Amino acid sequence: MQNSQATTAEKRTSLHGFWSSRMAFILAVTGSAVGLGNIWKFPYIAGENGGGAFVIVYLFCVVLIGMPVMMSEILIGRRGRRNPVATMALLGQEEGGSRNWQWVGGMGVIAGILILSYYSVIAGWTLAYVFKSASGVFSGASADEIGAHFSAFVGNWKLVAFSHTLFMGLTIFVVARGVERGLEQAVRFMVPALIVLMLVLLGYSLTSGHFGEGVAFLFMPDFSKLTWDSVLIALGHAFFTLSIGMGAIMAYGAYLPEDTSINGTSVAVVTADTVIAILAALVIFPIVFEFGLNPADGPGLVFDTLPVAFGQMTGGAFFSTIFFVLLAFAAWTSAIGLMEPAVAWYVENFHRTRAEAAIVIGVLIWLLGIGSVLSFNVLSDFTFYRGTIFDNVDYLTSNIMLPLGGVFITVFAGWVMCRNSTAEELGGTGTAYMLWRILARFVAPVGIMFVFLKAVGLLDWLM
Ligand code: PHE
């Protein structure tokens, strides 16, 4: 990297500070990736889509599509060193002669805002469950009682609105403090601690007597049950869980020092994220089968299952409290990433402070989130297309906006950017580079478009 001609990229400097170390960047990207997606969303969508075959498709999507998109995003971010909108405009101009690429950044900013609007609601549930756990209500409770408890909780819109407000407040607070002070500190101990607690829970599931059933459900594929719609959901989830397709990772890449390996970081983050998701599912499904619950329980799955397990353990109230605290932390560090593109854009565009940006964008997100708050109670019968407001915002963002963002990002990095630029960022033209290039140029964009067209039935209509 050092011996190449001095490009503009090398002289460009980040407007928001830098990560203090390589480890800090890895932690931040991992913190963004590991969140509700792994522990709340993955198990319930795997359950709704029949398990095995869905999980296999998801794993393929992570490796073949998630990986090259993540690498592309980091390299674009680092080269542009600005918010995703300005970075895409700048590099679009430099590499392809068109500033229109900024619309890809713009779509990411909007996707982040929309995702956080419902993400914060679910994160609010985890905050509420911290207090419920600590109060001991789950100790010795039956699966039925715990299920009823959850329904009563989400049915109370005031409580749900209150916890959503609390969570957005916490997020605004950290984002306002800025890159180094706010983001790094939150991430440092959260991921390792979360893994330890997952292992404790795994111990419970292993001894539950239904572990084998859980494993079979997760890994025995029955492809006859797989629809193209569930393939699209698996693809969308690969994007969601890795925080890619909307510029969060691009924004983080903008603060990345020149000498950090993008390849190594991506592999580490993708591996950690996938392991945590699989762990969560391995914990949850044996509990589902042990207590005769329904794998297709929906968004309440984690809240209906884990407290049952905690309720039967000695020291369960303690472990349960810690678990939901960690889950809230994981959600927090992801929420920061969801807001970062919008906040960085606001700061650079209007020349305002981070604090102001965090408050303005945060309040907007909070307002939008009320739609999701009410989706579980007052407006639960107000359904269209995919279901409630919450269901629709989730579907639109995860399964349409993020994969579409992925197409543009890989096409930009693989086809528009010149080979020298990408090779310089990815550390030369060795095997890893060639592999990335094939995935970014062909496999990812073609694969995403294929799944899209299949899922909406357009491909069959055309042929
Ligand atoms: N990856 C996060 C999760 O799995 C969600 C997220 C998506 C965060 C996009 C940032 C950007 O919970």
Side-chain angles (χ1 to χ4, degrees):
M1 207 172 296
Q2 259 63 337
N3 56 10
S4 59
Q5 317 89 318
T7 61
T8 40
E10 282 172 48
K11 286 190 238 112
R12 219 169 269 148
T13 186
S14 162
L15 301 170
H16 304 268
F18 283 104
W19 301 108
S20 61
S21 67
R22 172 185 140 82
M23 198 54 202
F25 174 73
I26 296 186
L27 281 171
V29 178
T30 313
S32 157
V34 175
L36 296 174
N38 306 61
I39 292 167
W40 160 74
K41 194 174 184 189
F42 174 67
Y44 97 71
I45 58 173
E48 283 181 340
N49 290 282
F54 176 87
V55 174
I56 307 254
V57 173
Y58 153 79
L59 291 174
F60 268 98
C61 291
V62 163
V63 176
L64 296 179
I65 297 176
M67 196 69 184
V69 175
M70 176 170 286
M71 290 167 68
S72 306
E73 256 194 60
I74 304 178
L75 82 85
I76 293 172
R78 182 163 75 182
R79 224 170 161 75
R81 293 259 185 248
R82 280 165 180 60
N83 72 77
V85 181
T87 285
M88 290 306 289
L90 182 73
L91 293 190
Q93 178 89 64
E94 240 171 56
E95 305 267 350
S98 166
R99 293 179 61 85
N100 279 332
W101 287 97
Q102 67 182 310
W103 296 108
V104 178
M107 184 171 76
V109 166
I110 295 169
I113 288 173
L114 287 174
I115 294 175
L116 187 50
S117 79
Y118 75 82
Y119 199 87
S120 164
V121 175
I122 313 295
W125 297 359
T126 69
L127 286 179
Y129 267 61
V130 170
F131 297 104
K132 288 180 191 299
S133 302
S135 77
V137 284
F138 301 137
S139 302
S142 71
D144 280 348
E145 284 162 354
I146 283 173
H149 197 94
F150 176 76
S151 307
F153 166 64
V154 294
N156 182 339
W157 73 267
K158 286 182 193 155
L159 273 181
V160 178
F162 176 76
S163 37
H164 162 58
T165 309
L166 190 62
F167 184 80
M168 272 318 295
L170 289 171
T171 304
I172 293 171
F173 175 71
V174 179
V175 172
R177 279 167 62 95
V179 177
E180 311 92 311
R181 279 185 306 159
L183 308 197
E184 274 186 44
Q185 283 169 16
V187 181
R188 253 175 208 283
F189 80 103
M190 189 273 307
V191 177
L194 196 64
I195 294 181
V196 170
L197 256 217
M198 297 298 297
L199 291 175
V200 170
L201 279 168
L202 187 67
Y204 174 88
S205 282
L206 269 171
T207 52
S208 73
H210 294 260
F211 192 71
E213 237 175 296
V215 173
F217 179 76
L218 272 180
F219 296 110
M220 295 264 283
D222 175 357
F223 285 101
S224 69
K225 287 212 195 100
L226 198 68
T227 62
W228 281 102
D229 192 51
S230 33
V231 173
L232 178 59
I233 294 174
L235 172 70
H237 187 66
F239 276 83
F240 182 88
T241 191
L242 296 175
S243 308
I244 52 179
M246 45 83 50
I249 300 293
M250 200 185 284
Y252 280 11
Y255 319 138
L256 180 65
E258 295 293 336
D259 56 1
T260 304
S261 156
I262 292 177
N263 308 356
T265 306
S266 304
V267 173
V269 172
V270 170
T271 309
D273 188 81
T274 310
V275 166
I276 293 179
I278 299 288
L279 253 177
L282 282 179
V283 168
I284 286 169
F285 286 107
I287 300 174
V288 167
F289 296 119
E290 182 178 358
F291 294 98
L293 301 169
N294 176 11
D297 189 33
L301 186 64
V302 180
F303 301 91
D304 284 340
T305 51
L306 297 191
V308 183
F310 284 125
Q312 314 227 321
M313 287 178 195
T314 31
F318 172 76
F319 283 126
S320 181
T321 309
I322 306 277
F323 176 81
F324 284 109
V325 167
L326 288 173
L327 189 54
F329 260 105
W332 201 14
T333 54
S334 297
I336 294 164
L338 282 162
M339 249 177 111
E340 188 60 25
V343 167
W345 168 79
Y346 189 98
V347 168
E348 287 171 38
N349 218 43
F350 302 122
H351 306 286
R352 310 303 288 198
T353 60
R354 264 190 89 86
E356 179 187 320
I359 292 170
V360 171
I361 310 261
V363 169
L364 172 70
I365 293 172
W366 177 84
L367 261 179
L368 290 170
I370 297 300
S372 290
V373 165
L374 301 180
S375 295
F376 296 92
N377 32 65
V378 181
L379 296 181
S380 60
D381 291 330
F382 173 62
T383 55
F384 53 100
Y385 187 44
R386 285 277 155 176
T388 59
I389 297 174
F390 159 81
D391 294 319
N392 280 292
V393 178
D394 175 33
Y395 191 85
L396 170 73
T397 49
S398 302
N399 304 331
I400 298 174
M401 294 176 86
L402 299 186
L404 210 58
V407 172
F408 287 118
I409 288 165
T410 46
V411 164
F412 184 74
W415 295 94
V416 177
M417 286 182 77
C418 69
R419 212 182 139 101
N420 287 346
S421 312
T422 51
E424 189 183 6
E425 293 296 334
L426 295 180
T429 52
T431 320
Y433 179 78
M434 290 319 291
L435 209 59
W436 167 79
R437 205 167 153 84
I438 293 168
L439 293 177
R441 282 167 76 99
F442 304 103
V443 178
V446 173
I448 297 167
M449 286 318 293
F450 181 80
V451 174
F452 256 137
L453 296 178
K454 267 292 193 191
V456 298
L458 208 61
L459 211 60
D460 303 300
W461 182 76
L462 285 173
M463 311 238 256

